[in-house]
Amino acid sequence: MNLLQIHQRPGVYLVVAAVLLAIGVYGLIRRRTLIGMLIAGELIFSAASLNFMAVNRFFAPDPAVGQIVVLFIMGLAAAEVAIALSVIIAVYRNYRSIHSNDLSELKG
Amino acid sequence: MSTFPFQDAILVAIFALVVGVTIGGALIAALSTRIIRGVSGLMLCCMGLGGLYYFLNSPFLALMEILIYVGAVCVTIVFGVMLSEPDEPAHEESRRHAVLWGGAALLVSLVILGGVAHLGLRGPWQEPAARVSDGSVQAIGLALLTTYSLPFELISIVLLVAILGALVIARSGRTKE
C-alpha cells in the first residue's frame, strides 16, 4: 500500500466514518444533558454523510446522486436542530434543568 | 507529472491534518465536560469534514458543510447553550455506576466501530463500469431540478414546518405567565 496515494483509497474514508459513528454513539449513551446528546447526534449525521460521499466518489456510476443525498441530510439536520433546540428551551423553562435524569415524568 | 517539489508528500500531510482535525474534533465533542467546548469540537469536526469532502472531489459540498454546520447549526446550538444551563452534573452518579455505564458505552461503540470498519474494508465493493456524469455543480443542479425535484420541494416544506413548529413550541410556555 503506497502511503503517498492514501487519500485516493476508499477504505480510509470508510474507516474515518466508522470512527465518527462510534464516537457519536458513545457520546449519545454517555452524555447526561440534552444538548450533549444533540451534539452526539450531529456526529452520527456527519458519519452517515461521509459514508455517502466516499461511496459516491469511488463506487457510484453517477457522482451527483451522493452529493444530492448529502445536501438533503444537511437540510434535515438543520430542521432537526431547530426543533430540538426549541424543545430543549421549552423543557428548560418548565423544569429549570435539561439533565436527562431530571426529566423522568411525562405529565408536566 | 508533479511539477511542484514534494507535491505528493504535501498532499498526504494535508490529508493527515484533515483526518486528525475531524477525529480530534469529534473526540472533543463527545468527551469534554463543558458543553461549550463540545460545540467548539463539533465546529472543528465539521471543518475537517469539509476538507475530507474537498479530497472527495466535491468542493461545493465542502463549502456547504462549513456554511451550514459551522455557520448555522453550531451557532444555533450556542444560542441553546446560552439560554439553558447545560454543563454536565458533577459527581452525580456513584463511581461504580459510572464505570459500569462507561464500560458498556465503550463496548457498544467499539463493536459498532469494528463491524462498520470491517464491512467498509472487506465488503465486495465494485468499481462502476462507466460514469454517467462528472459530479460537477452543473450536474448537481440539473439532477436537483429534474430527477430529484420532488424531494427538493419536500425538503423546503419540511424546513418551513420545522421553523413554524420551533416557534410554536418555544413560545408556548411564555404566553401562560
Side-chain angles (χ1 to χ4, degrees):
Chain A
M1 178 166 162
N2 187 1
L3 201 62
L4 289 180
Q5 299 294 322
I6 198 171
H7 60 278
Q8 286 169 359
R9 300 186 68 85
V12 184
Y13 298 97
L14 295 176
V15 168
V16 171
V19 170
L20 281 183
L21 176 64
I23 295 174
V25 169
Y26 180 82
L28 200 59
I29 299 176
R30 281 302 288 164
R31 283 288 191 193
R32 280 166 293 164
T33 64
L34 295 182
I35 290 189
M37 293 165 79
L38 183 65
I39 291 175
E42 289 302 317
L43 285 180
I44 296 178
F45 268 119
S46 305
S49 307
L50 183 58
N51 220 331
F52 264 112
M53 285 298 290
V55 174
N56 174 56
R57 158 79 173 78
F58 293 104
F59 306 115
D62 186 357
V65 177
Q67 303 187 37
I68 291 172
V69 170
V70 173
L71 275 180
F72 286 160
I73 292 178
M74 284 180 190
L76 286 180
E80 176 245 353
V81 163
I83 291 286
L85 279 174
S86 69
V87 169
I88 287 171
I89 289 172
V91 163
Y92 183 73
R93 196 176 285 142
N94 280 330
Y95 288 87
R96 290 285 136 202
S97 156
I98 57 166
H99 299 155
S100 50
N101 279 343
D102 300 340
L103 313 174
S104 51
E105 55 183 60
L106 279 178
K107 251 174 93 176
Chain B
M1 179 177 159
S2 74
T3 52
F4 198 72
F6 306 114
Q7 192 184 25
D8 292 339
I10 294 174
L11 208 57
V12 168
I14 294 176
F15 182 72
L17 177 74
V18 164
V19 170
V21 164
T22 307
I23 294 179
L27 282 175
I28 296 174
L31 299 178
S32 62
T33 42
R34 300 192 67 97
I35 285 293
I36 194 71
R37 288 184 195 155
V39 182
S40 311
L42 185 63
M43 281 187 192
L44 268 183
C45 175
C46 291
M47 293 273 197
L49 266 180
L52 281 180
Y53 289 169
Y54 205 92
F55 272 101
L56 285 169
N57 277 353
S58 176
F60 175 62
L61 260 283
L63 290 179
M64 276 299 159
E65 174 83 21
I66 292 177
L67 190 71
I68 295 180
Y69 271 93
V70 182
V73 169
C74 287
V75 171
T76 318
I77 296 179
V78 168
F79 276 120
V81 170
M82 286 193 281
L83 287 174
S84 58
E85 187 188 336
D87 279 339
E88 296 273 324
H91 306 300
E92 192 182 90
E93 54 183 1
S94 66
R95 182 153 184 82
R96 194 171 142 268
H97 206 194
V99 168
L100 189 68
W101 277 104
L106 201 61
L107 185 70
V108 168
S109 55
L110 281 182
V111 165
I112 287 176
L113 170 63
V116 178
H118 180 80
L119 274 182
L121 290 178
R122 298 264 170 255
W125 303 107
Q126 286 172 354
E127 295 277 337
R131 298 283 164 107
V132 230
S133 75
D134 54 352
S136 62
V137 180
Q138 194 184 6
I140 299 174
L142 275 179
L144 263 184
L145 290 181
T146 53
T147 320
Y148 298 96
S149 55
L150 181 64
F152 186 63
E153 298 297 330
L154 279 181
I155 284 284
S156 55
I157 293 179
V158 164
L159 280 173
L160 177 68
V161 173
I163 293 170
L164 291 179
L167 283 177
V168 169
I169 292 174
R171 210 187 134 75
S172 62
R174 229 166 160 186
T175 47
K176 270 183 210 160
E177 49 189 354

